Amino acid sequence: MSYIISKYGSILLTAFGQTLLLALLSLFFASIIGVVFGILGVLNNKICRKIERVFVDVIRGVPLLVLALYLYFGIPMFINAIIGGGFTLSKLQVGVIALSLNCGAYMAEIIRAGILSVDKGQVEAARSLGLPYSKTMRKIILPQAVRTMVPTIINQFIITLKDTSILSAIGFPELVNSAKNVVGVTFMSFQTYSIVALMYLVVILLLTNLSRYIERKWSRGR
């Protein structure tokens, strides 16, 4: 194991940096997607709620690997058949789009559930005082909903971080893909994948403890 660390440690660390970057970018865009569709899911409008439900069901119903392959191979082929060639998506772009859509579908449900957890009487009270719906949502509902959502969002980030390994299928230079290359050279699979597992474990344990800390702190603050 010490040989792998001394010889290929910098390669694995760089790959893990790519993994974290991909997860963070995906979580950022997934949060935007989640907020948009989460709010659509609680509006008093059947069409908006239907749009949210179709988006969530379709994205969650397609395996992440299939979605990534579809974006990497299928979409460029389809667009190039129309425009005559020249359109491509980089592996990073495909990774961010695929993870953002996948994570965004789950985030939409997290945010929708968080909003619905706030007492409806507060919405009625705010509206009776003349506050518009957008301001009621921004000033009253969302700040309270965040308290219940943050631990779950951190857990979703953990899931997204682990899901980045799926993108090794399209050759994205994340940690698992780089580990495969190291194993292909050294044939030391046990040592290499043990190091990879420990790298994931350290970050995931830190995030898990952060989630628990926030949950305990906010529960005491109620």
Side-chain angles (χ1 to χ4, degrees):
M1 189 175 291
S2 59
Y3 171 76
I4 297 294
I5 294 174
S6 61
K7 184 76 173 178
Y8 299 101
S10 60
I11 294 175
L12 294 176
L13 282 175
T14 299
F16 198 43
Q18 290 290 315
T19 297
L20 292 174
L21 174 63
L22 178 60
L24 287 170
L25 286 173
S26 300
L27 185 67
F28 172 75
F29 290 111
S31 298
I32 297 174
I33 294 170
V35 168
V36 171
F37 284 95
I39 292 176
L40 285 178
V42 298
L43 291 177
N44 189 25
N45 185 297
K46 288 184 178 180
I47 295 176
C48 291
R49 294 199 302 272
K50 189 67 175 179
I51 291 172
E52 185 268 346
R53 180 47 49 196
V54 169
F55 170 77
V56 170
D57 288 346
V58 168
I59 297 299
R60 294 203 304 187
V62 176
L64 179 57
L65 176 59
V66 175
L67 181 60
L69 293 173
Y70 178 74
L71 290 169
Y72 191 63
F73 295 107
I75 293 297
M77 183 180 295
F78 175 74
I79 293 177
N80 286 328
I82 296 175
I83 66 175
F87 178 80
T88 59
L89 286 171
S90 70
K91 293 171 183 176
L92 177 61
Q93 289 172 328
V94 169
V96 171
I97 294 171
L99 285 171
S100 296
L101 289 173
N102 182 266
C103 182
Y106 289 94
M107 290 281 283
E109 289 295 276
I110 292 170
I111 291 169
R112 185 179 71 86
I115 292 172
L116 291 176
S117 70
V118 179
D119 187 1
K120 291 183 179 180
Q122 297 192 40
V123 178
E124 295 170 358
R127 298 306 298 274
S128 67
L129 292 173
L131 289 177
Y133 184 83
S134 59
K135 195 168 185 178
T136 300
M137 186 65 66
R138 190 173 66 252
K139 296 291 186 180
I140 298 175
I141 305 302
L142 286 179
Q144 296 181 73
V146 164
R147 295 171 67 92
T148 61
M149 290 190 295
V150 168
T152 311
I153 289 173
I154 294 175
N155 290 333
Q156 185 59 48
F157 176 69
I158 292 172
I159 294 170
T160 301
L161 177 62
K162 292 189 289 186
D163 282 347
T164 56
S165 61
I166 293 174
L167 297 175
S168 62
I170 62 171
F172 182 80
E174 47 77 50
L175 184 56
V176 172
N177 191 41
S178 297
K180 287 180 182 178
N181 295 334
V182 172
V183 170
V185 174
T186 64
F187 299 101
M188 302 172 70
S189 57
F190 175 78
Q191 296 90 330
T192 302
Y193 289 124
S194 294
I195 293 170
V196 168
L198 286 173
M199 293 172 75
Y200 274 114
L201 185 62
V202 168
V203 175
I204 288 171
L205 284 177
L206 288 173
L207 290 171
T208 301
N209 288 327
L210 174 62
S211 175
R212 290 171 180 168
Y213 169 76
I214 293 173
E215 202 165 3
R216 287 196 306 269
K217 184 177 180 181
W218 283 356
S219 65
R220 287 196 301 265
R222 287 177 181 174

